[in-house]
Amino acid sequence: MIYINATHPRPPIDSFDLCSELNFNEYDNALYLGKGSNDYYFLIKAKEKTISTCDVNKNTKAIVGEAFDSCYNLTTVNLPDGIEYIGELAFNGCKSLKNITLPNSITEIRFRAFAECSELEYINIPEKLTVISNALFLKCSKLKEINLPKGITEIGAQAFECCSNLTKINIPDKVKYIRMYAFAECISLTKIVIPKRVNMIEQYAFVNCNNLTIYCEVESEPYAWAGAVNSLWNFSDCPVIWGYSGE
């Protein structure tokens, strides 16, 4: 039996790359390592790259980086309440995954965790999440609608880039930063409302969003938005409505 006694619940992405001799704890179609008295604290990786389903153990707290990376046949994953963390590239390239329900116990999802899930049509965003990480849903080309919880403060670079079927997304009032290429190539998006508290929109955030109209609650363009002199945040010259009040 293998246990991890470190106080930090999130091992680095490459922590187990060279651990071919470890005796993992197995449950359903995944391999785990324990922490303390919990044998299944960390989900380390899929048992095989060819798995199609996985019921994650009810005691799991963290899915580490690359755990299901490029599991092309994975269609169904059941996550129990209590999971707190999903690592970078955890489900990257799971091209058969169509939907997944994320428990509200999750507080952090790292970059590219669901990137290139090209069949993904639905995913909920946990209520405790505060940051949409970089490239989190990059090239999720069938994703149609996203409801961001009110606690989100930042939308990372490339977070929704090339989500070509995305038609609806809300920007919560607490969002302060929209990073570069956040919504690039979202060609089906026709409307987005930018709240007053947004301090920074970085360059190319909406590049090639050819059908988009941007509704801004502020009365005029803040200089901090990628340097308003060049307006690189709106590089593609999407129509902008200033002073939008929802009417």
Side-chain angles (χ1 to χ4, degrees):
M1 197 72 69
I2 301 293
Y3 295 100
I4 295 176
N5 293 317
T7 57
H8 200 288
R10 298 156 187 163
I13 191 170
D14 58 353
S15 296
F16 308 101
D17 284 354
L18 302 178
C19 296
S20 58
E21 300 302 318
L22 283 179
N23 294 317
F24 293 105
N25 308 318
E26 183 177 334
Y27 180 85
D28 197 54
N29 280 324
L31 303 178
Y32 300 78
L33 290 178
K35 178 185 176 184
S37 61
N38 184 349
D39 293 349
Y40 301 98
Y41 195 102
F42 299 100
L43 191 159
I44 304 301
K45 60 182 179 179
K47 183 180 178 181
E48 303 286 348
K49 286 289 187 181
T50 56
I51 66 168
S52 60
T53 65
C54 185
D55 287 323
V56 176
N57 187 275
K58 65 180 181 180
N59 294 317
T60 301
K61 300 298 182 184
I63 298 176
V64 308
E66 300 185 19
F68 296 96
D69 183 30
S70 300
C71 288
Y72 299 134
N73 297 321
L74 187 65
T75 61
T76 304
V77 179
N78 295 316
L79 303 180
D81 291 335
I83 286 182
E84 300 172 358
Y85 172 82
I86 296 178
E88 51 264 49
L89 296 142
F91 295 93
N92 178 70
C94 291
K95 298 181 183 297
S96 298
L97 190 64
K98 290 189 175 183
N99 60 74
I100 186 169
T101 300
L102 303 180
N104 280 323
S105 53
I106 295 172
T107 59
E108 184 178 1
I109 304 176
R110 298 296 300 278
F111 71 90
R112 288 188 67 100
F114 294 96
E116 299 190 52
C117 291
S118 55
E119 293 295 315
L120 187 65
E121 297 177 353
Y122 171 81
I123 190 169
N124 65 301
I125 308 299
E127 293 293 329
K128 294 180 180 179
L129 215 62
T130 59
V131 174
I132 301 298
S133 298
N134 294 349
L136 185 57
F137 299 108
L138 174 69
K139 295 184 180 179
C140 289
S141 56
K142 289 193 176 181
L143 198 60
K144 295 180 179 180
E145 183 173 335
I146 287 285
N147 183 30
L148 296 180
K150 61 183 179 181
I152 297 294
T153 61
E154 178 176 338
I155 298 173
Q158 299 182 283
F160 297 97
E161 183 176 355
C162 293
C163 290
S164 55
N165 276 299
L166 186 67
T167 60
K168 185 177 181 181
I169 188 168
N170 64 304
I171 307 296
D173 289 338
K174 290 184 179 181
V175 170
K176 294 182 178 180
Y177 305 103
I178 299 175
R179 301 300 186 184
M180 63 178 68
Y181 295 98
F183 297 97
E185 307 281 350
C186 289
I187 58 176
S188 298
L189 197 61
T190 59
K191 177 180 180 179
I192 197 165
V193 178
I194 308 299
K196 288 182 178 179
R197 292 187 183 182
V198 174
N199 295 330
M200 171 67 76
I201 302 180
E202 292 184 349
Q203 58 266 37
Y204 313 121
F206 303 101
V207 68
N208 294 334
C209 292
N210 299 327
N211 298 302
L212 180 64
T213 298
I214 303 170
Y215 294 80
C216 299
E217 293 182 354
V218 293
E219 296 293 333
S220 60
E221 185 175 41
Y223 182 81
W225 289 12
V229 173
N230 295 315
S231 296
L232 293 178
W233 69 277
N234 189 20
F235 184 79
S236 295
D237 291 324
C238 298
V240 180
I241 307 298
W242 298 103
Y244 180 70
S245 62
E247 298 177 356

